[in-house]
Amino acid sequence: MSLTAGIVGLPNVGKSTLFNAITNQKILAENYPFATIEPNVGVVTVPDERMDKLKNMYEPNKFIPTAYEFTDIAGLVKGASKGEGLGNKFLSHIREVDAIVEVVRCFDDGKIIHVEGNIDPIRDIETINLELAISDLDIINNRLEKVAKKARTSKNKDDILEVETLEKCKNALLENKPIRQISLTDEEKKIIKSYSFLTLKPIIYLANVKESELGNIDNEYVKKVKDYAKLENARVVSLCAKVEEELSELDKADKEEMLEGLGLDGSGLDKLITATYDILGLATYFTVGKDEVRAWTFKKGMNAKQCAGIIHTDFEKGFIRAEVISYNDLIECGSELKVKESGRARLEGKEYLMQDGDICHFRFNV
């Protein structure tokens, strides 16, 4: 399941430094099952201590954690929706991602010029969000011109529902509310899915602070970002992009030593990766054995048959049953055999909703 988070922000806010940290992640290319990696795409593994325990238990020949992509999108400038800077090219790149990570500068440094002349994280956020909203409004207005006329003459219920849904989205945007904050029915979501609205995408605000400000809950810039994010139920992750770049170049032991010296319980990048994974509504199931231990990403709400298809389409077409044990039961019992002896192993049908931490073996016949 190929997923991408796009890193956006104004120029000189720390985007490139953060992306350097991401691209320095030591992931083996052959273990990443998706397309050829472009220069502006970095691949990250999702931190998951369960994988380490499964690796120690099975000692597999291959060990493949779940991963997804971060795309570095060129710095936005005011007026992008009207063609300023990279303009439409910038906005089209954002349309292709599944979630947005908006980097906001939350530190003063006279040596690093801010495009607006001074530091104001809320102004920066609103600059970007306004450009995204204007772009969505342009799409809505263009579509409404065509479909509204058609709906009036045809009285087709699908056309009428599309008009009503687009009007609902338009009204929200005019009230400075992103589309992701609107309550939409499944049918309405289906109607607007093809438009890839920018303000519909889940968002994380990334507060980039100075090293000396790491862990400082009284940072006024960060507090403002958190207050803003709270209004739209968005998440905030604080980190120092420069520190993350340095950490990404270290081996595990040196990285842990540096984190301890900084008084941190983990890297900010790991927290960002985990938060992004979560806002995308993702979870993990595992396949295990001596040959391979592997984590698979699925969307919460997917059933066993659909999850089998993530491995191979034949698994979904010929699905018979899923042999399932939970990760917690495996750790508690110590082996698959003991889980079965305790009566906690299960055979599940195609409608079974996969749970995070399920360990599966799929029976299929094509």
Side-chain angles (χ1 to χ4, degrees):
M1 181 178 287
S2 181
L3 295 158
T4 306
I7 304 172
V8 305
L10 296 175
N12 297 334
V13 296
K15 266 183 351 81
S16 297
T17 307
L18 175 66
F19 188 69
N20 287 341
I22 288 170
T23 53
N24 278 336
Q25 294 289 293
K26 307 300 188 294
I27 180 170
L28 298 175
E30 64 266 26
N31 284 347
Y32 188 60
F34 307 124
T36 301
I37 305 304
E38 298 296 330
N40 68 328
V41 174
V43 180
V44 296
T45 56
V46 180
D48 193 334
E49 63 179 16
R50 296 174 298 184
M51 284 293 283
D52 294 327
K53 291 184 179 180
L54 291 173
K55 183 180 181 181
N56 291 334
M57 182 178 288
Y58 288 92
E59 298 180 344
N61 296 325
K62 292 178 70 177
F63 174 73
I64 306 176
T66 190
Y68 66 92
E69 301 173 350
F70 275 94
T71 299
D72 184 30
I73 297 169
L76 177 146
V77 295
K78 189 182 293 184
S81 58
K82 301 302 179 187
E84 295 294 327
L86 288 179
N88 292 331
K89 185 178 180 182
F90 166 88
L91 296 168
S92 69
H93 287 165
I94 304 180
R95 290 198 193 285
E96 294 170 4
V97 305
D98 302 290
I100 295 171
V101 176
E102 191 169 317
V103 183
V104 187
R105 182 170 158 184
C106 292
F107 65 90
D108 294 298
D109 188 335
K111 296 177 183 177
I112 304 174
I113 299 170
H114 190 286
V115 68
E116 293 290 345
N118 66 316
I119 307 302
D120 184 343
I122 303 307
R123 175 203 59 210
D124 294 354
I125 288 172
E126 290 180 341
T127 295
I128 290 178
N129 290 354
L130 178 61
E131 296 301 327
L132 304 185
I134 291 172
S135 180
D136 283 350
L137 274 171
D138 286 344
I139 289 175
I140 290 171
N141 287 331
N142 288 337
R143 179 59 183 166
L144 276 174
E145 280 184 26
K146 299 173 184 176
V147 75
K149 186 182 295 184
K150 183 181 175 185
R152 282 194 298 270
T153 55
S154 70
K155 306 296 182 184
N156 180 286
K157 65 178 184 178
D158 291 335
D159 292 336
I160 292 171
L161 182 59
E162 182 177 2
V163 170
E164 291 173 349
T165 305
L166 290 174
E167 289 284 5
K168 183 191 286 191
C169 294
K170 179 178 179 178
N171 291 335
L173 291 170
L174 291 174
E175 294 171 3
N176 294 319
K177 183 187 291 186
I179 295 173
R180 61 180 168 272
Q181 283 188 265
I182 306 173
S183 178
L184 296 168
T185 66
D186 289 342
E187 202 171 1
E188 289 171 332
K189 289 176 184 176
K190 188 176 179 181
I191 284 172
I192 65 172
K193 184 178 179 181
S194 63
Y195 296 123
S196 298
F197 287 133
L198 302 176
T199 64
L200 181 61
K201 298 180 186 297
I203 193 167
I204 289 176
Y205 294 109
L206 183 71
N208 185 19
V209 302
K210 283 198 291 190
E211 180 178 335
S212 59
E213 291 289 297
L214 280 171
N216 178 12
I217 60 174
D218 296 320
N219 182 310
E220 288 299 321
Y221 292 140
V222 176
K223 285 166 77 173
K224 287 179 181 179
V225 174
K226 287 182 176 179
D227 288 342
Y228 183 94
K230 195 178 295 181
L231 297 175
E232 55 177 63
N233 296 316
R235 299 210 188 172
V236 178
V237 174
S238 295
L239 56 72
C240 173
K242 188 63 181 172
V243 167
E244 296 303 321
E245 186 178 31
E246 292 172 11
L247 284 168
S248 69
E249 296 171 350
L250 302 176
D251 60 27
K252 186 176 181 181
D254 288 342
K255 180 177 178 181
E256 289 175 355
E257 185 180 338
M258 183 175 173
L259 286 170
E260 186 178 345
L262 291 168
L264 301 175
D265 58 2
S267 79
L269 184 54
D270 282 352
K271 291 175 183 176
L272 172 63
I273 293 166
T274 302
T276 307
Y277 196 74
D278 192 44
I279 67 163
L280 284 168
L282 304 177
T284 304
Y285 76 85
F286 306 99
T287 52
V288 298
K290 195 67 180 173
D291 182 51
E292 177 183 277
V293 166
R294 185 164 186 162
W296 300 89
T297 298
F298 68 97
K299 278 270 190 183
K300 292 173 184 175
M302 289 178 71
N303 62 36
K305 184 178 179 181
Q306 292 168 326
C307 285
I310 293 171
I311 298 176
H312 198 285
T313 53
D314 284 350
F315 282 32
E316 184 171 7
K317 289 176 184 175
F319 181 90
I320 300 173
R321 283 279 186 275
E323 297 176 9
V324 182
I325 62 175
S326 80
Y327 168 83
N328 290 336
D329 286 344
L330 177 63
I331 297 302
E332 183 181 330
C333 296
S335 72
E336 290 183 57
L337 178 60
K338 289 182 179 178
V339 173
K340 291 174 182 177
E341 289 174 347
S342 70
R344 296 189 228 180
R346 312 187 307 275
L347 283 177
E348 301 288 0
K350 63 183 180 181
E351 296 304 325
Y352 168 71
L353 294 182
M354 196 70 78
Q355 300 298 306
D356 183 62
D358 278 347
I359 297 171
C360 304
H361 173 70
F362 296 106
R363 296 182 185 178
F364 72 103
N365 182 34
V366 179

